[in-house]
Amino acid sequence: MQDRSQLGDTPPEVFRDQLHQLVDWIADFREGLGNLPVAPNDKPGAIRAGLPSAPPEQAESFDKILADINHLIVPGMVHWSHPMFLGYFGWTQTGPGILGELASAPLNVNAMTWRTCPAATELETLVVDWLRQWMKLPKEFGGVVYDTASVGIMHALAVAREEVAPSTRKLGLTGRNLPRFRIYTSDQAHSSAEKAAIALGLGEENVQRIPSDAEFRMDVPALRSMIERDLKDKYKPLAAIATVGTTSTASIDPVADIAKICREHKMWLHVDGAYGGGFAILPEYEWITKGWSDADSIVINPHKTLFVPLDFSILFVRDLERLRRVFTLVPEYLRGDTIEAEKNYMDYGIQLGRRFRALKAWIIWRSLGRAGMVARLREQMRLTNLLVDWIRADERFEIAAPVVMPVVCFRFVGTVAGVGDAGPGSAIPATRFDQVNSEIVERINASGRAYLTQTKLCGQTVMRIGFGNVLTTEEHLRAAWELIQEMAEEILEGRAPSRP
Ligand SMILES: Cc1ncc(COP(=O)(O)O)c(C=O)c1O
C-alpha cells in the first residue's frame, strides 16, 4: 500500500525547482537553437529504437525525463524555429509566444461553455474581434477559434451544406433524393477542401479543381464554364473556395470576381486565407482583402503568419449564428451550464472540450502590437526580395512563380562548369532538371545545415523557400543561398553528398 503522503502533486518547493530547471532549459534551447542541426538524418524508427517500448511502471525523476528530452527527442526533431528553417511557410516562433504557451499550462481549463470558464470564453471573443478589426472585416463577421484551417473549412462547408439542403443535420444526406453537390476551388488550393468533402459526405470527387492562370490564380472564366457544365449535368453548385496565399506560391485568387459568381448562383464563398490572410494587417497588402466582405466564411491561421504558436486558427462566418444553428446541441448533463446569454463555444463546432487558446494569442499580440508584427512581416519581405535579387543575378537559376508574399519558388536550370549528364561539355537534358532540383533540396535537408521544401509548378519540380522565422537574418539567408549553389555544383559534378 502506497504511503498517502506520497500521493497528490509534487511538493511546492520541488515543483519550483523543476520549473526553474525547465525555464533555464527553454532559455538555453532558444539561445543555442541556431547551433543545432535543423533536421535529423535518421531512418524511420531510429528515435523509437532509443526509447523503452514498455510503459513506465514506477515514477521516474524529472531530471531523467529532461535528460532524455535533450538526448533522444531534441536530436530527432526538425527544428521549425531554427533560423535556417526555410521550409513550408516559415515559422513564427517568438519569446512572447513561448511565454503565452507557458502561461496557459497551469490554467488548463476546459472552456466548453461560458460558465465552465468565463475568462476563456470572453477572451476568445475579444481576440477574435481584434483580428476582425485588423482584417477590416465588417462587424457582421463573428469568429471562433479552432486548431487548424482544415477544421475551419469543414465547419464552414457544413453550414453551406445545411443551407442548401436544410435538415441535413437532422436527417443526413442519404435517401432524400438530393442532387450531387459541387465545390469549386483552384488547382493550387489546399487539399483541406477534399478532406472536408470526405468528412461531410459530399465526396472527394465533387471538389472540382479549376485551372489557374499564368500567375497561379484561379481562372474565373474557367470557373464560370465549369459551373455551367455542372448545372447542365444536374449537379448543384454548393460552394467556391478562393485562396489568399496558396500553399505552393502564395498566389492570390481574384476573390471579388469569384464572389460575383457565388452571388449569381447562390453559392457559399469560403476564403482560405490560412497563410496569406494575416498579411492584411499591412497597409500595402490591403488589396488582398478585396471581396472578403462578400464572403460567407474566411479562415485565417495566426499560427502561420501572426506569431501565435501552433495551433490557432480563426474561422470567421458572416452572421456566426448560421454556424451555431448547425452545431448547437445541448446534452442534459450540460444544460445547467448553458443558461447564460453569453457564448458557449461548444455550440460552434464538433468539439466539446476546448483549451484556452485565446490566452497565448492575447499575450503575443499585446507583446508585439500590430506595429511589431508589421515590422517583422516587412523584414520577411525585405529578405524575400534580397533572395529574389540573388537568384536573378545567377543565370543558372530562375524564379518559377511571381513573388507576392514571403515565399520564393525557384529552379535550377543551368550547367556547372561545363559538366553535363553525358560528360563534360554536354548539355543537361531538360528531364533531368526535376531530379536535380529535388536532389538539391534532399541533400540540403539531409545535411542539417538548412531546410527547404520542393513543390511542382506546371509539372516541373521547383525549390521553395518560405520566410517567417524572426531568428533568420540576412547572414543566414546568404549562407542558405550559398549552400544551394554549392549543392547544385556537387550534384552536377557527380560528387557524393558532403556531410558536415
Ligand atoms: C492555403 C492553405 N490552406 C489550408 C491549409 C491547412 O492548414 P491547417 O494545417 O491549419 O489545417 C494550409 C496548410 O499549409 C494552406 O497552405
Side-chain angles (χ1 to χ4, degrees):
M1 179 64 190
Q2 193 149 15
D3 170 5
R4 282 217 172 78
S5 68
Q6 300 293 306
L7 301 179
D9 204 0
T10 314
E13 62 287 1
V14 177
F15 180 54
R16 190 174 293 274
D17 281 349
Q18 291 172 341
L19 270 181
H20 283 297
Q21 213 183 328
L22 181 65
V23 163
D24 279 339
W25 180 85
I26 293 171
D28 290 345
F29 173 77
R30 186 92 180 130
E31 222 174 298
L33 184 55
N35 301 321
L36 295 176
V38 191
N41 191 25
D42 293 325
K43 295 267 176 296
I47 293 144
R48 217 154 17 95
L51 297 164
S53 58
E57 178 61 22
Q58 297 300 331
E60 295 181 61
S61 73
F62 182 62
D63 283 345
K64 181 163 184 316
I65 296 167
L66 193 56
D68 281 353
I69 293 176
N70 265 328
H71 299 126
L72 298 170
I73 304 299
V74 171
M77 295 193 53
V78 174
H79 291 290
W80 285 58
S81 304
H82 195 289
M84 295 294 274
F85 180 87
L86 302 164
Y88 305 99
F89 282 126
W91 209 231
T92 54
Q93 172 82 298
T94 59
I98 297 171
L99 296 180
E101 288 280 29
L102 282 176
S104 310
L107 301 177
N108 191 22
V109 291
N110 188 338
M112 49 194 176
T113 65
W114 175 81
R115 203 185 258 193
T116 61
C117 191
T121 299
E122 293 186 27
L123 203 63
E124 177 160 340
T125 306
L126 182 91
V127 295
V128 163
D129 199 62
W130 280 2
L131 188 64
R132 183 195 63 77
Q133 292 176 50
W134 278 331
M135 300 292 102
K136 299 197 176 62
L137 280 175
K139 272 212 160 103
E140 57 188 311
F141 281 88
V144 52
V145 177
Y146 295 130
D147 53 357
T148 56
S150 304
V151 167
I153 190 177
M154 191 201 71
H155 283 92
L157 292 179
V159 185
R161 187 186 65 171
E162 187 68 20
E163 292 189 0
V164 80
S167 297
T168 295
R169 80 160 257 179
K170 207 169 176 174
L171 305 170
L173 284 173
T174 52
R176 296 174 60 204
N177 208 15
L178 292 165
R180 262 174 82 173
F181 299 108
R182 290 290 216 202
I183 296 161
Y184 306 90
T185 197
S186 94
D187 57 8
Q188 298 297 308
H190 193 261
S191 54
S192 50
E194 277 85 357
K195 284 271 184 93
I198 293 168
L200 294 169
L202 295 168
E204 183 183 350
E205 281 192 6
N206 288 314
V207 177
Q208 294 288 295
R209 293 292 186 148
I210 312 295
S212 49
D213 65 14
E215 298 194 6
F216 305 102
R217 300 168 305 191
M218 191 195 286
D219 178 345
V220 178
L223 169 66
R224 193 177 278 286
S225 35
M226 180 77 83
I227 292 174
E228 278 159 15
R229 206 167 61 222
D230 276 354
L231 283 170
K232 258 195 220 125
D233 293 341
K234 306 274 183 271
Y235 290 102
K236 171 84 182 148
L238 170 71
I241 300 159
T243 310
V244 173
T246 55
T247 311
S248 282
T249 69
S251 58
I252 318 285
D253 282 339
V255 182
D257 297 341
I258 297 168
K260 197 160 163 276
I261 296 181
C262 286
R263 264 198 312 274
E264 281 169 31
H265 292 281
K266 298 198 172 30
M267 291 159 61
W268 184 279
L269 172 59
H270 177 73
V271 175
D272 179 356
Y275 170 67
F279 279 85
I281 68 165
L282 294 160
E284 59 270 36
Y285 276 93
E286 210 176 309
W287 61 273
I288 66 171
T289 65
K290 201 162 166 248
W292 287 14
S293 55
D294 289 326
D296 294 284
S297 55
I298 301 173
V299 78
I300 292 171
N301 275 7
H303 72 229
K304 284 199 201 308
T305 23
L306 296 178
F307 302 93
V308 182
L310 186 81
D311 41 15
F312 191 86
S313 176
I314 294 184
L315 175 74
F316 289 104
V317 177
R318 190 149 44 77
D319 182 7
L320 197 60
E321 178 58 18
R322 298 159 87 190
L323 177 64
R324 202 190 68 84
R325 273 201 295 270
V326 180
F327 286 102
T328 181
L329 191 124
V330 184
E332 278 312 314
Y333 46 83
L334 284 173
R335 199 163 297 282
D337 271 346
T338 55
I339 46 179
E340 278 81 11
E342 262 295 340
K343 271 201 182 87
N344 295 309
Y345 276 110
M346 68 168 194
D347 284 344
Y348 295 82
I350 54 170
Q351 240 188 302
L352 172 63
R354 311 181 86 249
R355 52 191 296 240
F356 192 179
R357 288 200 181 89
L359 188 68
K360 61 184 176 183
W362 189 62
I363 291 175
I364 180 75
W365 286 344
R366 289 181 64 188
S367 301
L368 298 183
R370 193 192 68 90
M373 291 195 281
V374 163
R376 284 167 178 82
L377 293 176
R378 283 189 178 142
E379 174 62 7
Q380 289 174 26
M381 268 326 286
R382 188 186 73 81
L383 294 178
T384 303
N385 292 329
L386 208 56
L387 176 65
V388 169
D389 289 346
W390 295 341
I391 294 171
R392 289 214 168 107
D394 186 334
E395 62 189 17
R396 299 169 302 170
F397 292 82
E398 66 181 19
I399 298 289
V403 176
V404 249
M405 285 178 173
V407 172
V408 183
C409 292
F410 60 106
R411 181 167 154 89
F412 180 82
V413 288
T415 53
V416 175
V419 180
D421 213 26
S426 68
I428 296 165
T431 47
R432 226 208 121 196
F433 282 125
D434 279 352
Q435 192 196 335
V436 171
N437 279 274
S438 181
E439 205 173 332
I440 294 172
V441 174
E442 295 291 327
R443 283 199 190 194
I444 289 176
N445 293 355
S447 78
R449 291 159 69 190
Y451 196 97
L452 44 151
T453 42
Q454 52 185 305
T455 187
K456 279 220 182 245
L457 294 178
C458 307
Q460 295 187 319
T461 302
V462 304
M463 293 179 270
R464 186 181 171 291
I465 283 186
F467 293 88
N469 292 353
V470 292
L471 300 179
T472 304
T473 62
E474 197 172 317
E475 287 69 43
H476 291 113
L477 186 60
R478 167 70 68 187
W481 172 234
E482 286 172 1
L483 189 57
I484 292 163
Q485 293 171 306
E486 190 188 304
M487 286 297 176
E489 288 161 19
E490 190 181 273
I491 291 163
L492 267 93
E493 288 165 11
R495 285 186 271 136
S498 54
R499 294 199 51 80

